[in-house]
Amino acid sequence: MYAINQLPRQDIKHSPTGCCPEFQPKDWDDKKFHFEDKLFLKVDTRNFMHIPLNMGKVFRRAMAEIEAAGVSPGDEYIILSYDASPWKGEHFISVKDTVPGGVMVRISGHYMAKVFEGPYKDAGKWYKQLVNCVEEKGKKAKKIYFFYTTCPTCAKVYGKNYVVGFAEVV
């Protein structure tokens, strides 16, 4: 059974790096999630061949707007990233309520999650693996998002770069 709009908790206040919390893959790997009108702030990045060029700047601004509005979801957060094209990335940051002036999006659907570990350049392989995993379970992947659990600096500190693939399933 799916829990509606619930995500595993991440202790963002007690991060050893002071930035990204240490990720716990067991809480996410091979799990099912159900979103029903889950609220997100949508931001876009400029990409070059799927590589974000301005992600740090865009995310810092978005996080400042979320904090100023007092709508951070706390330790139950997620940022879903979608490559709309080789030139544009769309990122959906979970929030508790509307961010004034922000582009707000509600996402609904059933999702299967798979945790991957490795360099970001492997995202194309992970995409294919996730689609295969979904098909092996008799489902079809409608849309694929990635949750990059740590920034590059924190991934170096932790020695692991975990990424969660989220496949909307039908």
Side-chain angles (χ1 to χ4, degrees), residues 29 84 161:
D29 196 31
N161 184 44

Side-chain angles (χ1 to χ4, degrees), residues 34-130:
H34 177 71
F35 295 155
E36 190 170 298
D37 290 326
K38 186 161 183 64
L39 188 60
F40 292 86
L41 171 66
K42 180 183 179 278
V43 296
D44 296 333
T45 54
R46 286 187 326 271
N47 293 359
F48 178 74
M49 298 305 293
H50 300 285
I51 299 170
L53 301 176
N54 62 339
M55 184 177 263
K57 178 181 175 182
V58 169
F59 276 36
R60 279 189 297 277
R61 186 181 70 238
M63 296 313 245
E65 291 172 359
I66 289 168
E67 289 302 318
V71 297
S72 172
D75 61 357
E76 198 175 325
Y77 76 92
I78 191 168
I79 301 171
L80 297 173
S81 294
Y82 174 72
D83 271 356
S85 78
W87 318 113
K88 179 183 175 185
E90 297 177 345
H91 310 277
F92 304 87
I93 305 169
S94 61
V95 291
K96 288 191 302 190
D97 204 347
T98 301
V99 175
V103 176
M104 306 309 299
V105 175
R106 292 190 180 273
I107 296 178
S108 297
H110 293 291
Y111 294 84
M112 296 174 81
K114 178 92 179 126
V115 175
F116 301 96
E117 197 281 320
Y120 296 118
K121 68 180 177 78
D122 288 346
K125 293 181 210 173
W126 300 335
Y127 183 98
K128 291 175 187 171
Q129 289 175 4
L130 183 55

Side-chain angles (χ1 to χ4, degrees), residues 8-26:
R9 297 196 180 281
Q10 300 178 79
D11 193 356
I12 59 176
K13 290 183 180 160
H14 296 97
S15 167
T17 62
C19 184
C20 304
E22 196 162 3
F23 183 73
Q24 302 300 319
K26 67 177 174 33

Side-chain angles (χ1 to χ4, degrees), residues 146-165:
F146 284 105
F147 171 32
Y148 299 97
T149 66
T150 53
C151 70
T153 302
C154 289
K156 285 180 187 173
V157 170
Y158 296 138
K160 298 278 186 181
N161 184 44
Y162 291 112
V163 177
V164 183

